[in-house]
Amino acid sequence: DLRHPWERPAQPGRLTPARVRRGFRNLRLHLTCPARAPKPSRPGPGRPPGSKNRHLATRHDVGKTVKRPESIKERSRAGG
């Protein structure tokens, strides 16, 4: 029972949540780890690092069919 000086003593076996919270700091040192051991899991989908990429990305044609004038002078001569 960790109580402040202004708090009245509690009956034996009756603690408030605040007093339990204050005393938990001292208990935590003596407790074991509450977490369980990690479970083994399968690796996720995807290519493992270091292995070759078997499927290359598909390449698409740009689709340009018309030769366009490249400079400003050629554009003005062409009819602009």
Coordinates of all heavy atoms in Angstrom, one line a residue:
D1 N 0.9 -1.2 0.0 CA 0.0 0.0 0.0 C 0.9 1.2 0.0 O 1.5 1.6 1.0 CB -0.9 0.0 1.2 CG -1.8 1.2 1.3 OD1 -2.1 1.8 0.2 OD2 -2.3 1.4 2.4
L2 N 1.0 1.9 -1.2 CA 1.8 3.1 -1.2 C 0.8 4.2 -1.2 O 0.1 4.5 -2.2 CB 2.6 3.1 -2.5 CG 3.8 2.2 -2.6 CD1 4.5 2.3 -3.9 CD2 4.8 2.5 -1.5
R3 N 0.8 5.0 -0.1 CA -0.2 6.1 0.0 C 0.6 7.4 0.2 O 1.7 7.4 0.7 CB -1.2 5.8 1.1 CG -0.6 5.8 2.5 CD -1.7 5.5 3.5 NE -1.2 5.5 4.8 CZ -1.1 6.6 5.6 NH1 -1.5 7.7 5.2 NH2 -0.6 6.5 6.8
H4 N -0.1 8.4 -0.2 CA 0.5 9.8 0.0 C 0.2 10.1 1.5 O -0.7 9.6 2.1 CB -0.1 10.8 -0.9 CG 0.3 10.6 -2.4 ND1 1.6 10.7 -2.8 CD2 -0.4 10.3 -3.5 CE1 1.6 10.5 -4.1 NE2 0.4 10.2 -4.5
P5 N 1.0 11.1 2.0 CA 0.8 11.5 3.4 C -0.6 12.0 3.7 O -1.1 11.8 4.8 CB 1.8 12.6 3.6 CG 2.9 12.4 2.6 CD 2.2 11.8 1.4
W6 N -1.3 12.6 2.7 CA -2.6 13.1 3.0 C -3.7 12.1 2.8 O -4.9 12.4 3.2 CB -2.9 14.3 2.1 CG -2.8 14.0 0.6 CD1 -3.8 13.5 -0.1 CD2 -1.7 14.2 -0.2 NE1 -3.4 13.3 -1.4 CE2 -2.1 13.7 -1.5 CE3 -0.4 14.6 0.0 CZ2 -1.2 13.7 -2.6 CZ3 0.5 14.7 -1.1 CH2 0.1 14.2 -2.4
E7 N -3.4 10.9 2.3 CA -4.4 9.9 2.2 C -4.6 9.1 3.5 O -3.6 8.8 4.2 CB -4.0 8.9 1.0 CG -4.1 9.6 -0.3 CD -3.6 8.6 -1.4 OE1 -2.9 7.7 -1.1 OE2 -4.0 8.9 -2.6
R8 N -5.8 8.7 3.8 CA -6.1 7.9 5.0 C -5.6 6.5 4.8 O -5.7 6.0 3.6 CB -7.6 8.0 5.3 CG -8.0 9.3 5.8 CD -9.4 9.3 6.3 NE -10.3 8.6 5.3 CZ -11.5 8.9 5.0 NH1 -12.1 9.9 5.6 NH2 -12.2 8.3 4.1
P9 N -5.2 5.8 5.8 CA -4.9 4.4 5.6 C -6.1 3.6 5.2 O -7.2 3.8 5.8 CB -4.4 3.9 7.0 CG -4.3 5.2 7.8 CD -5.0 6.3 7.1
A10 N -6.0 2.6 4.3 CA -7.1 1.8 3.9 C -7.2 0.6 4.7 O -6.2 0.2 5.4 CB -6.9 1.5 2.4
Q11 N -8.3 -0.1 4.7 CA -8.5 -1.3 5.4 C -7.6 -2.4 4.8 O -7.3 -2.3 3.6 CB -10.0 -1.8 5.3 CG -11.0 -0.8 5.9 CD -12.4 -1.2 5.6 OE1 -12.6 -2.2 4.9 NE2 -13.3 -0.5 6.1
P12 N -7.2 -3.4 5.5 CA -6.3 -4.4 4.9 C -7.1 -5.2 3.8 O -8.2 -5.6 4.0 CB -6.0 -5.3 6.1 CG -6.5 -4.7 7.3 CD -7.3 -3.5 6.9
G13 N -6.5 -5.4 2.7 CA -7.1 -6.1 1.6 C -8.0 -5.2 0.7 O -8.5 -5.6 -0.3
R14 N -8.0 -3.9 1.0 CA -8.8 -3.0 0.2 C -7.9 -1.9 -0.3 O -7.4 -1.0 0.4 CB -10.0 -2.4 1.0 CG -10.8 -1.4 0.2 CD -12.2 -1.3 0.8 NE -13.0 -0.3 0.2 CZ -13.8 -0.6 -0.9 NH1 -13.8 -1.8 -1.4 NH2 -14.5 0.4 -1.4
L15 N -7.6 -1.9 -1.7 CA -6.8 -0.9 -2.3 C -7.5 -0.2 -3.4 O -8.4 -0.7 -4.0 CB -5.5 -1.5 -2.9 CG -4.6 -2.2 -1.9 CD1 -3.5 -2.9 -2.6 CD2 -3.9 -1.1 -1.0
T16 N -7.2 1.1 -3.6 CA -7.8 1.8 -4.7 C -6.9 1.6 -5.9 O -5.8 1.2 -5.8 CB -7.8 3.3 -4.4 OG1 -6.4 3.8 -4.2 CG2 -8.5 3.6 -3.1
P17 N -7.5 1.8 -7.1 CA -6.7 1.6 -8.3 C -5.4 2.5 -8.4 O -4.4 2.0 -8.9 CB -7.7 2.0 -9.5 CG -9.0 1.8 -8.9 CD -8.9 2.1 -7.4
A18 N -5.5 3.7 -7.8 CA -4.3 4.5 -7.9 C -3.2 4.0 -7.0 O -2.0 4.0 -7.4 CB -4.7 5.9 -7.4
R19 N -3.5 3.4 -5.9 CA -2.5 2.8 -5.0 C -1.9 1.5 -5.6 O -0.7 1.3 -5.5 CB -3.1 2.5 -3.6 CG -3.4 3.7 -2.9 CD -3.9 3.4 -1.5 NE -4.4 4.6 -0.8 CZ -4.7 4.6 0.5 NH1 -4.7 3.5 1.2 NH2 -5.2 5.7 1.0
V20 N -2.7 0.8 -6.3 CA -2.2 -0.4 -7.0 C -1.3 0.0 -8.1 O -0.2 -0.6 -8.3 CB -3.4 -1.2 -7.6 CG1 -2.9 -2.4 -8.4 CG2 -4.3 -1.8 -6.4
R21 N -1.6 1.1 -8.8 CA -0.8 1.6 -9.9 C 0.6 2.0 -9.4 O 1.6 1.8 -10.0 CB -1.5 2.7 -10.6 CG -1.1 2.9 -12.0 CD -1.8 4.0 -12.7 NE -3.3 3.9 -12.6 CZ -4.1 4.8 -12.1 NH1 -3.6 5.9 -11.6 NH2 -5.4 4.6 -12.0
R22 N 0.6 2.7 -8.2 CA 1.8 3.1 -7.6 C 2.7 2.0 -7.2 O 3.9 2.0 -7.3 CB 1.5 4.0 -6.4 CG 1.2 5.4 -6.7 CD 1.0 6.2 -5.5 NE -0.3 7.0 -5.7 CZ -1.2 7.2 -4.7 NH1 -1.0 6.6 -3.5 NH2 -2.3 7.9 -5.0
G23 N 2.1 0.9 -6.7 CA 2.9 -0.2 -6.2 C 3.3 -1.2 -7.3 O 4.2 -2.0 -7.1
F24 N 2.7 -1.0 -8.5 CA 3.1 -1.9 -9.6 C 4.5 -1.7 -10.0 O 5.2 -2.6 -10.5 CB 2.1 -1.7 -10.8 CG 2.3 -2.7 -11.9 CD1 1.9 -4.0 -11.7 CD2 2.9 -2.4 -13.1 CE1 2.0 -5.0 -12.7 CE2 3.1 -3.3 -14.1 CZ 2.6 -4.6 -13.9
R25 N 5.1 -0.5 -9.9 CA 6.5 -0.2 -10.2 C 7.4 -1.2 -9.5 O 8.4 -1.7 -10.1 CB 6.8 1.2 -9.9 CG 8.2 1.6 -10.3 CD 8.6 3.0 -9.9 NE 7.5 3.9 -10.2 CZ 7.3 5.0 -9.4 NH1 8.0 5.3 -8.3 NH2 6.3 5.9 -9.8
N26 N 7.2 -1.5 -8.2 CA 8.0 -2.3 -7.5 C 7.8 -3.8 -7.8 O 8.8 -4.6 -7.8 CB 7.8 -2.1 -6.0 CG 8.0 -0.7 -5.5 OD1 8.8 0.0 -6.1 ND2 7.2 -0.3 -4.6
L27 N 6.6 -4.2 -8.2 CA 6.4 -5.6 -8.6 C 7.0 -5.9 -10.0 O 7.4 -7.1 -10.2 CB 4.9 -5.8 -8.7 CG 4.1 -5.8 -7.3 CD1 2.6 -5.9 -7.6 CD2 4.6 -6.9 -6.5
R28 N 7.0 -5.0 -10.9 CA 7.4 -5.2 -12.2 C 8.8 -5.8 -12.3 O 9.2 -6.5 -13.2 CB 7.3 -3.9 -13.0 CG 7.6 -4.0 -14.5 CD 6.3 -3.9 -15.3 NE 6.6 -3.5 -16.7 CZ 7.1 -4.4 -17.6 NH1 7.4 -5.6 -17.2 NH2 7.3 -4.1 -18.8
L29 N 9.7 -5.4 -11.4 CA 11.1 -5.8 -11.4 C 11.2 -7.3 -11.2 O 12.1 -8.0 -11.7 CB 11.9 -5.0 -10.4 CG 12.0 -3.5 -10.5 CD1 12.6 -2.9 -9.3 CD2 12.7 -3.2 -11.8
H30 N 10.3 -7.9 -10.4 CA 10.4 -9.3 -10.0 C 9.6 -10.2 -10.9 O 9.7 -11.4 -10.8 CB 9.9 -9.4 -8.6 CG 10.7 -8.6 -7.6 ND1 12.0 -8.8 -7.4 CD2 10.3 -7.5 -6.9 CE1 12.4 -7.9 -6.5 NE2 11.4 -7.0 -6.2
L31 N 8.8 -9.6 -11.8 CA 7.9 -10.4 -12.7 C 8.7 -10.9 -13.9 O 9.7 -10.2 -14.3 CB 6.7 -9.6 -13.2 CG 5.7 -9.3 -12.1 CD1 4.6 -8.4 -12.7 CD2 5.1 -10.5 -11.5
T32 N 8.3 -12.0 -14.5 CA 8.9 -12.4 -15.8 C 8.3 -11.6 -16.9 O 7.3 -10.9 -16.8 CB 8.7 -13.9 -16.0 OG1 7.3 -14.1 -16.0 CG2 9.3 -14.7 -14.9
C33 N 8.8 -11.8 -18.1 CA 8.3 -11.1 -19.3 C 6.9 -11.6 -19.6 O 6.7 -12.8 -19.8 CB 9.3 -11.3 -20.5 SG 8.8 -10.5 -22.0
P34 N 5.9 -10.7 -19.8 CA 4.6 -11.2 -20.1 C 4.4 -11.7 -21.5 O 3.4 -12.4 -21.8 CB 3.7 -10.0 -19.8 CG 4.6 -8.8 -20.0 CD 6.0 -9.3 -19.7
A35 N 5.3 -11.4 -22.4 CA 5.1 -11.8 -23.8 C 5.5 -13.2 -24.0 O 6.4 -13.7 -23.4 CB 5.9 -10.9 -24.7
R36 N 4.8 -13.9 -24.9 CA 5.2 -15.3 -25.3 C 6.3 -15.2 -26.3 O 6.6 -14.2 -26.9 CB 4.0 -16.0 -25.9 CG 2.9 -16.2 -24.9 CD 1.7 -17.0 -25.5 NE 0.7 -17.2 -24.6 CZ -0.6 -17.4 -24.9 NH1 -0.9 -17.5 -26.2 NH2 -1.5 -17.6 -24.0
A37 N 6.9 -16.4 -26.5 CA 7.9 -16.5 -27.5 C 7.3 -16.3 -28.9 O 6.2 -16.7 -29.1 CB 8.6 -17.9 -27.4
P38 N 8.1 -15.7 -29.8 CA 7.5 -15.5 -31.1 C 7.2 -16.8 -31.9 O 8.0 -17.7 -31.8 CB 8.5 -14.6 -31.8 CG 9.8 -14.9 -31.1 CD 9.4 -15.2 -29.7
K39 N 6.1 -16.8 -32.6 CA 5.8 -18.0 -33.4 C 6.5 -17.9 -34.7 O 6.6 -16.9 -35.3 CB 4.3 -18.1 -33.6 CG 3.5 -18.3 -32.4 CD 2.0 -18.4 -32.8 CE 1.2 -18.6 -31.6 NZ -0.3 -18.7 -31.9
P40 N 7.0 -19.1 -35.2 CA 7.6 -19.0 -36.5 C 6.6 -18.8 -37.6 O 5.5 -19.4 -37.5 CB 8.3 -20.4 -36.7 CG 7.5 -21.3 -35.7 CD 7.0 -20.4 -34.6
S41 N 6.9 -18.0 -38.6 CA 5.9 -17.7 -39.6 C 6.6 -17.9 -41.0 O 7.8 -17.8 -41.1 CB 5.4 -16.2 -39.5 OG 6.5 -15.3 -39.6
R42 N 5.7 -18.1 -41.9 CA 6.2 -18.3 -43.3 C 6.6 -16.9 -43.9 O 6.0 -15.9 -43.5 CB 5.1 -18.8 -44.2 CG 4.7 -20.3 -43.8 CD 3.7 -20.9 -44.6 NE 3.4 -20.2 -45.9 CZ 2.2 -19.9 -46.3 NH1 1.1 -20.2 -45.5 NH2 2.0 -19.3 -47.4
P43 N 7.6 -16.9 -44.7 CA 7.9 -15.6 -45.4 C 6.8 -15.1 -46.2 O 6.0 -15.9 -46.8 CB 9.2 -15.9 -46.2 CG 9.2 -17.4 -46.4 CD 8.4 -18.0 -45.2
G44 N 6.7 -13.8 -46.4 CA 5.6 -13.2 -47.2 C 5.9 -13.4 -48.7 O 6.9 -13.9 -49.1
P45 N 4.9 -13.0 -49.5 CA 5.1 -13.1 -50.9 C 6.1 -12.1 -51.4 O 6.3 -11.1 -50.8 CB 3.7 -12.8 -51.5 CG 3.1 -11.9 -50.5 CD 3.6 -12.4 -49.1
G46 N 6.7 -12.5 -52.5 CA 7.7 -11.6 -53.1 C 9.0 -12.3 -53.3 O 9.3 -13.4 -52.9
R47 N 9.9 -11.6 -54.1 CA 11.2 -12.2 -54.4 C 12.1 -12.0 -53.3 O 12.3 -10.9 -52.7 CB 11.7 -11.4 -55.7 CG 13.0 -11.9 -56.2 CD 13.3 -11.3 -57.6 NE 13.1 -9.8 -57.6 CZ 14.1 -9.0 -57.3 NH1 15.3 -9.4 -57.0 NH2 13.9 -7.7 -57.4
P48 N 12.8 -13.1 -52.8 CA 13.7 -12.9 -51.8 C 14.9 -12.1 -52.2 O 15.3 -12.1 -53.3 CB 14.2 -14.4 -51.4 CG 13.6 -15.2 -52.5 CD 12.6 -14.4 -53.3
P49 N 15.5 -11.3 -51.3 CA 16.6 -10.5 -51.7 C 17.8 -11.3 -52.1 O 18.1 -12.3 -51.5 CB 16.9 -9.7 -50.4 CG 16.3 -10.4 -49.3 CD 15.1 -11.2 -49.9
G50 N 18.5 -10.8 -53.1 CA 19.7 -11.5 -53.7 C 19.4 -12.4 -54.8 O 20.3 -12.9 -55.5
S51 N 18.1 -12.8 -55.0 CA 17.8 -13.7 -56.2 C 17.5 -12.9 -57.4 O 17.1 -11.7 -57.3 CB 16.6 -14.6 -55.8 OG 15.4 -13.8 -55.7
K52 N 17.7 -13.5 -58.6 CA 17.5 -12.8 -59.8 C 16.0 -12.6 -60.1 O 15.2 -13.4 -59.7 CB 18.0 -13.7 -61.0 CG 19.5 -13.9 -60.9 CD 20.2 -12.7 -61.6 CE 21.7 -13.0 -61.6 NZ 22.4 -12.0 -62.3
N53 N 15.7 -11.5 -60.8 CA 14.3 -11.2 -61.2 C 14.0 -12.0 -62.5 O 14.7 -11.9 -63.5 CB 14.2 -9.7 -61.5 CG 12.7 -9.3 -61.7 OD1 11.9 -10.2 -61.6 ND2 12.5 -8.1 -61.9
R54 N 13.1 -13.0 -62.4 CA 12.8 -13.8 -63.6 C 11.9 -13.2 -64.6 O 11.9 -13.5 -65.8 CB 12.2 -15.1 -63.1 CG 13.1 -16.0 -62.2 CD 12.5 -17.3 -61.9 NE 13.3 -17.9 -60.8 CZ 12.8 -18.8 -60.0 NH1 11.5 -19.1 -60.0 NH2 13.6 -19.4 -59.1
H55 N 11.0 -12.3 -64.2 CA 10.1 -11.7 -65.1 C 10.4 -10.3 -65.3 O 10.2 -9.4 -64.4 CB 8.6 -11.9 -64.5 CG 8.2 -13.3 -64.3 ND1 7.9 -14.1 -65.3 CD2 8.1 -14.0 -63.2 CE1 7.6 -15.3 -64.8 NE2 7.7 -15.3 -63.5
L56 N 11.0 -9.9 -66.4 CA 11.3 -8.5 -66.7 C 10.0 -7.8 -67.0 O 9.0 -8.3 -67.4 CB 12.2 -8.4 -67.9 CG 13.6 -9.1 -67.6 CD1 14.4 -9.0 -68.9 CD2 14.4 -8.3 -66.5
A57 N 10.0 -6.5 -66.7 CA 8.9 -5.6 -67.0 C 8.7 -5.6 -68.5 O 9.6 -5.5 -69.3 CB 9.1 -4.2 -66.4
T58 N 7.4 -5.5 -68.9 CA 7.1 -5.4 -70.3 C 7.4 -4.1 -70.8 O 7.1 -3.1 -70.2 CB 5.6 -5.8 -70.6 OG1 4.8 -4.9 -69.8 CG2 5.3 -7.2 -70.2
R59 N 7.9 -4.0 -72.0 CA 8.3 -2.7 -72.6 C 7.2 -2.3 -73.7 O 6.8 -3.1 -74.5 CB 9.6 -2.8 -73.3 CG 10.8 -3.2 -72.5 CD 11.1 -2.2 -71.4 NE 12.1 -2.7 -70.5 CZ 12.5 -2.0 -69.5 NH1 12.0 -0.9 -69.2 NH2 13.5 -2.5 -68.7
H60 N 6.7 -1.1 -73.6 CA 5.7 -0.6 -74.5 C 6.3 0.4 -75.5 O 7.1 1.2 -75.1 CB 4.5 0.0 -73.8 CG 3.9 -1.0 -72.9 ND1 3.0 -2.0 -73.4 CD2 3.9 -1.2 -71.5 CE1 2.6 -2.7 -72.3 NE2 3.1 -2.3 -71.2
D61 N 5.8 0.4 -76.7 CA 6.3 1.4 -77.7 C 5.7 2.7 -77.4 O 4.6 2.9 -76.9 CB 5.8 0.9 -79.1 CG 6.4 1.8 -80.2 OD1 7.5 2.3 -80.0 OD2 5.7 1.9 -81.3
V62 N 6.5 3.8 -77.6 CA 6.1 5.1 -77.3 C 4.9 5.6 -78.1 O 4.0 6.2 -77.6 CB 7.3 6.1 -77.5 CG1 6.9 7.5 -77.2 CG2 8.5 5.7 -76.6
G63 N 4.9 5.2 -79.4 CA 3.8 5.5 -80.2 C 3.9 6.8 -81.0 O 2.9 7.2 -81.6
K64 N 5.0 7.4 -81.1 CA 5.2 8.6 -81.9 C 5.3 8.2 -83.4 O 6.1 7.3 -83.7 CB 6.4 9.4 -81.5 CG 6.3 10.1 -80.2 CD 7.5 11.0 -80.1 CE 7.4 11.8 -78.8 NZ 8.6 12.7 -78.6
T65 N 4.5 8.8 -84.2 CA 4.5 8.4 -85.6 C 4.8 9.6 -86.5 O 5.3 9.5 -87.7 CB 3.1 7.9 -86.1 OG1 2.1 8.9 -85.8 CG2 2.8 6.6 -85.4
V66 N 4.7 10.9 -86.1 CA 4.9 12.1 -86.9 C 6.2 12.7 -86.5 O 6.5 12.9 -85.3 CB 3.7 13.1 -86.7 CG1 3.9 14.3 -87.5 CG2 2.4 12.4 -87.0
K67 N 7.0 13.0 -87.5 CA 8.2 13.8 -87.3 C 7.9 15.2 -87.1 O 7.3 15.9 -87.9 CB 9.2 13.6 -88.4 CG 10.4 14.4 -88.4 CD 11.5 13.7 -87.7 CE 12.9 14.4 -87.9 NZ 13.1 15.4 -86.9
R68 N 8.2 15.7 -85.9 CA 7.9 17.1 -85.6 C 9.1 18.0 -85.7 O 10.2 17.5 -85.4 CB 7.3 17.2 -84.2 CG 5.9 16.5 -84.1 CD 5.4 16.6 -82.6 NE 4.1 16.0 -82.6 CZ 3.8 14.7 -82.3 NH1 4.8 13.9 -82.2 NH2 2.6 14.3 -82.3
P69 N 9.0 19.3 -86.0 CA 10.1 20.1 -86.1 C 10.7 20.4 -84.7 O 9.9 20.5 -83.7 CB 9.6 21.4 -86.7 CG 8.1 21.3 -86.7 CD 7.8 19.9 -86.5
E70 N 12.0 20.3 -84.6 CA 12.6 20.4 -83.2 C 12.9 21.8 -82.8 O 12.8 22.1 -81.6 CB 13.9 19.5 -83.2 CG 13.6 18.1 -83.4 CD 14.9 17.2 -83.5 OE1 16.0 17.8 -83.2 OE2 14.8 16.0 -83.7
S71 N 13.3 22.7 -83.7 CA 13.7 24.0 -83.3 C 12.6 25.0 -83.6 O 11.7 24.8 -84.4 CB 15.0 24.5 -83.9 OG 14.8 24.6 -85.3
I72 N 12.7 26.2 -83.1 CA 11.7 27.3 -83.3 C 11.8 27.7 -84.7 O 10.8 28.0 -85.4 CB 12.0 28.5 -82.3 CG1 11.8 28.0 -80.9 CG2 11.0 29.6 -82.6 CD1 12.1 29.0 -79.8
K73 N 13.0 27.8 -85.3 CA 13.1 28.3 -86.7 C 12.5 27.3 -87.7 O 11.8 27.7 -88.6 CB 14.6 28.4 -87.1 CG 15.3 29.6 -86.4 CD 16.7 29.7 -86.8 CE 17.4 30.9 -86.1 NZ 18.8 31.0 -86.5
E74 N 12.6 26.0 -87.4 CA 12.0 25.0 -88.3 C 10.5 25.1 -88.2 O 9.8 24.9 -89.2 CB 12.4 23.6 -87.9 CG 13.9 23.3 -88.3 CD 14.3 21.9 -87.9 OE1 13.4 21.0 -87.7 OE2 15.5 21.6 -87.9
R75 N 10.0 25.4 -87.0 CA 8.5 25.5 -86.8 C 7.9 26.7 -87.6 O 6.9 26.6 -88.2 CB 8.2 25.6 -85.3 CG 8.2 24.4 -84.6 CD 7.7 24.5 -83.2 NE 8.5 23.7 -82.3 CZ 8.9 24.0 -81.0 NH1 8.5 25.1 -80.5 NH2 9.6 23.1 -80.3
S76 N 8.7 27.8 -87.5 CA 8.2 29.0 -88.2 C 8.3 28.8 -89.7 O 7.4 29.3 -90.5 CB 9.0 30.2 -87.8 OG 10.4 30.1 -88.1
R77 N 9.3 28.1 -90.2 CA 9.4 27.8 -91.7 C 8.3 26.8 -92.1 O 7.9 26.9 -93.3 CB 10.8 27.2 -92.0 CG 11.7 28.3 -92.4 CD 13.0 27.7 -92.9 NE 14.0 27.8 -91.9 CZ 15.0 26.9 -91.6 NH1 15.1 25.8 -92.4 NH2 15.8 27.0 -90.7
A78 N 7.9 25.9 -91.3 CA 7.0 24.9 -91.7 C 5.6 25.4 -91.9 O 4.8 24.8 -92.5 CB 6.9 23.8 -90.6
G79 N 5.3 26.6 -91.4 CA 4.0 27.1 -91.7 C 3.3 27.7 -90.5 O 2.1 27.9 -90.5
G80 N 4.1 28.0 -89.5 CA 3.5 28.5 -88.2 C 3.5 29.9 -88.2 O 2.9 30.8 -88.4

